[in-house]
Amino acid sequence: MVLMLARQAINIKCKNKTNLILGNYECGYGLGLIVNLSGIIFPADYTNIEELRIKVLDLLSDYHPKDEREENLIHMLKAYKADDNLDSQVGELINIGLGEKNPWK
């Protein structure tokens, strides 16, 4: 249930630039999703969610979002400051985002 709520929250929040990511679960799904959508290579060497967030954003520095939802997702990821928590549910949400086939549905 928590996993689907984080996924739904990101999908809804990407519709509006004024929204913010509120937790590591949303951040984990968002990171997996933007890696998936952008086609960048997922960083394999990270110890916590904040380190992963920074690495993904660095890899996205030359990326041009395909639409407003991607742009809003990147904006939210830049604004969020993750804590060190990288529990199994955060990892599972990263994987859900990485494998997402129809993210906006």
Side-chain angles (χ1 to χ4, degrees), residues 2 4 9 17 19 27-28 32-33 37 42 44 49 51 54 56 58-59 62 69-70 72 75 77 81 88 97-98 100:
V2 171
M4 297 295 45
K17 192 167 188 147
N19 289 318
C27 183
L33 181 59
L37 295 171
F42 185 79
I49 190 79
E51 184 180 354
I54 291 167
V56 167
D58 285 347
L59 291 170
D62 294 329
R69 293 174 294 200
E70 286 188 16
N72 292 342
H75 172 78
L77 289 168
K81 172 74 169 96
S88 63
L98 287 169
E100 193 71 71

Side-chain angles (χ1 to χ4, degrees), residues 13-94:
K13 289 178 179 187
C14 283
K15 295 176 184 176
N16 188 335
K17 192 167 188 147
T18 61
N19 289 318
L20 296 171
I21 290 175
L22 297 177
N24 283 0
Y25 291 164
E26 291 179 9
C27 183
Y29 175 75
L31 288 169
L33 181 59
I34 198 62
V35 167
N36 177 355
L37 295 171
S38 66
I40 63 172
I41 297 184
F42 185 79
D45 57 333
Y46 61 92
T47 57
N48 61 56
I49 190 79
E50 179 62 11
E51 184 180 354
L52 176 60
R53 185 187 72 84
I54 291 167
K55 287 182 178 197
V56 167
L57 290 173
D58 285 347
L59 291 170
L60 289 170
S61 62
D62 294 329
Y63 178 69
H64 300 287
K66 296 179 198 94
D67 59 28
E68 189 174 289
R69 293 174 294 200
E70 286 188 16
E71 185 178 321
N72 292 342
L73 178 55
I74 293 169
H75 172 78
M76 289 189 295
L77 289 168
K78 286 180 179 178
Y80 182 67
K81 172 74 169 96
D83 62 32
D84 290 340
N85 181 29
L86 185 58
D87 65 20
S88 63
Q89 287 188 312
V90 173
E92 195 170 338
L93 281 158
I94 292 168

